Amino acid sequence: MSKSRSPFTKAQLLPQEETLEILKQKGSLFIGIPKETYFQEKRVCLTPDAVSALVANGNRVMIESGAGKGANFKDKTYSEAGAEVTKDTAKVFSCPIILKVEPPSLDEIKLINPQTILISALQLKTQHKKYFEALASKRITALAFEFIKDEDGAYPAVRSLSEIAGTASILIASELLSNVNGGNGLMFGNISGVPPVEVVIIGAGTVGEFAARSAIGLGANVKVFDNSITKLRCLQSSLGRTIYTSTLQPKNLIKALKRCDVAIGAVRGKNRSPVIVTEPMVDTMKNGAVIIDVSIDMGGCFETSEVTNHDKPTFEYNGVTHYCVPNIPARYSRSASVSISNIFTPYLLKIAEDGGIENAIRFDRGLKNGLYFYHGILTNKSVADWFDLDCSDVNLLIF
């Protein structure tokens, strides 16, 4: 009889019992919320109501004393909601799950225990290679909330904060136009017999949409510019009315900028925002006109823009007031905190329900999209390309 050529033994070829995966039981999370130390960052990840919901579901939350102060949430309110409040920063950073708004600094990473789960923003454009090397050395699993997708394929955190930035840009412009702040003394609001304020919005994304919505609500005359016809069409349909829209044709844009009282820059690029309004274009604008460059965190789309902060938010160039603060939502810290908390809470409850981050990532593709470090291994290609680091496919690490 000829010798069998099969690489398997006779025993291996016999039918085997099917082994099914044992479903993990619901787990409980221990979440640490440190106080934000980043410059002018007043937001907090979880509101007392969110803490109450998490604690009621059997989870533990430890919060550093004063973490909610910037958003007007008292330690006493957190304590009553079931959180453990401590003044010991190292104790908060020793929790198995760390929740932050801004990414941790290198000094804060030193306080984090190995194999910790970190959920925060990543802010890729402001990071350094050392940050990722520090996370890798601690074998940390890290999720960036701006990369997390929902079931519709949208980015809920980015959209929520863009909604705030868009609405805020109009409110800030109305403040800057008033006499109190040295403006032209113009008022947003369609007063009978008075010509309305002219607003030019560059970019028809979420920021542009909510800026247009607020400006129209206040009775302003709005013109929106974008090179995507689809975005302009979506904007008109979501506003439920026809407004002036145009592609970025220099002739039309210069004409609109000459007449406008407020110009809002809300254009995002791949690596940086494209410069759409040049210095000569700004020179043609009215004396006392206001520029709000919301895309300043990506470099800005006005050539004359320079980064400012919440303490000294404006500067004047050729009679035109520029407002170029990169972190506009931090100005409305309580609303922004509630918004971020609404995004975090369902995900944290789901992670607990699934028995931990491993299972949650396995079953939720949107959450997996937010993962950029898995036990110290970089899994996000855009981060790897940006910093010239090695990257592994997350699907080969999680089975």
Side-chain angles (χ1 to χ4, degrees), residues 14 18 24 38 62 71 100 118 130-131 148 176 211 215 234 255 264 279 307-308 334 350 392 394:
L14 287 169
E18 185 185 1
K24 284 195 178 179
Y38 190 78
M62 184 179 280
K100 276 183 107 293
L118 169 69
K130 282 181 182 174
Y131 171 79
I148 294 172
L176 295 175
C234 288
K255 195 175 166 185
I264 288 162
E279 201 172 322
V307 178
T308 59
R334 194 174 174 113
K350 191 180 185 306
S392 300
V394 67

Side-chain angles (χ1 to χ4, degrees), residues 104-220:
S105 64
L106 293 174
D107 291 334
E108 287 173 334
I109 291 172
K110 287 174 189 171
L111 298 171
I112 298 174
N113 289 337
Q115 301 282 14
T116 294
I117 295 159
L118 169 69
I119 304 171
S120 72
L122 173 58
Q123 293 177 348
L124 187 57
K125 305 294 181 287
T126 62
Q127 286 307 348
H128 304 285
K129 204 170 182 177
K130 282 181 182 174
Y131 171 79
F132 300 101
E133 287 165 353
L135 290 181
S137 68
K138 290 265 180 144
R139 303 190 307 284
I140 284 169
T141 298
L143 286 120
F145 65 71
E146 68 258 49
F147 291 157
I148 294 172
K149 285 184 179 178
D150 59 17
E151 55 272 17
D152 299 327
Y155 297 93
V158 176
R159 185 167 172 86
S160 287
L161 295 174
S162 295
E163 286 175 7
I164 293 170
T167 306
S169 64
I170 296 295
L171 300 177
I172 292 160
S174 69
E175 284 174 37
L176 295 175
L177 283 174
S178 71
N179 292 118
V180 181
N181 294 298
N184 271 351
L186 291 169
M187 179 183 166
F188 267 85
N190 205 344
I191 311 301
S192 306
V194 180
V197 168
E198 296 276 341
V199 178
V200 166
I201 298 166
I202 302 162
T206 308
V207 175
E209 181 195 323
F210 276 79
R213 197 183 288 276
S214 302
I216 290 164
L218 288 169

Side-chain angles (χ1 to χ4, degrees), residues 10 38 65 142 149 172 197 214 226 256 279 297 313 336 370 372 393 398-399:
K10 210 169 184 179
Y38 190 78
S65 179
K149 285 184 179 178
I172 292 160
V197 168
S214 302
D226 198 294
E279 201 172 322
D297 59 334
Y372 65 96
D393 187 348
I398 302 167
F399 294 100

Side-chain angles (χ1 to χ4, degrees), residues 176 282 289-293 302 304-306 308 313-318 320-324:
L176 295 175
V282 175
V290 172
I291 285 174
I292 313 274
D293 202 342
F302 290 83
T304 51
S305 292
E306 287 171 26
T308 59
T314 61
F315 67 91
E316 206 170 287
Y317 169 83
N318 209 5
V320 178
T321 305
H322 290 60
Y323 182 98
C324 306

